[in-house]
Amino acid sequence: MTPLVLDLRPSPAGPVLHPAGEIDATNLDELASALDRALAMGGPVTVELTEVPFLDGRALDLLMSAYVQAVMQGDDLRLASPRPKVRRLLEITGARLPVCEATEVRAA
């Protein structure tokens, strides 16, 4: 398994969380903490998934919960450039999370 590295940075368009590595039950608490910090920064949160080859259902649940929390705060959360396996998980579960491409995030 690829260890998870989390990079959270402010940007003019809102916080960008860039996880790198596989996300599953072994590191879910780390992701939850990073999402909490990103949401506390205010503004729309982007989770750039270009370096996440795999995430499990619990990680998807966590992302969906963070999305709901962002909306309740009057903000937004979107996923940028999910890789094919992650995109497939979103499709087969019917997860209705906003998705964009990383180039859109960098341009903002």
Side-chain angles (χ1 to χ4, degrees):
M1 178 162 119
T2 310
L4 182 63
V5 176
L6 296 162
D7 180 35
L8 175 60
R9 295 181 186 204
S11 83
V16 177
L17 176 59
H18 186 121
E22 296 179 358
I23 305 172
D24 61 19
T26 64
N27 52 29
L28 205 55
D29 289 342
E30 295 171 55
L31 178 62
S33 179
L35 285 167
D36 286 344
R37 289 192 312 273
L39 290 166
M41 294 169 78
V45 174
T46 300
V47 182
E48 188 173 333
L49 297 173
T50 54
E51 294 185 59
V52 176
F54 170 82
L55 61 84
D56 70 8
R58 287 169 287 207
L60 180 57
D61 284 344
L62 179 62
L63 290 170
M64 292 177 71
S65 294
Y67 171 75
V68 169
Q69 183 179 347
V71 170
M72 290 177 67
Q73 291 177 188
D75 290 321
D76 196 10
L77 182 141
R78 62 186 179 165
L79 308 179
S81 298
R83 290 173 66 175
K85 284 184 181 178
V86 174
R87 194 175 292 267
R88 181 72 179 133
L89 178 65
L90 295 170
E91 290 170 2
I92 63 174
T93 60
R96 301 265 188 240
L97 293 169
V99 176
C100 66
E101 295 305 316
T103 53
E104 295 174 45
V105 174
R106 292 184 195 108

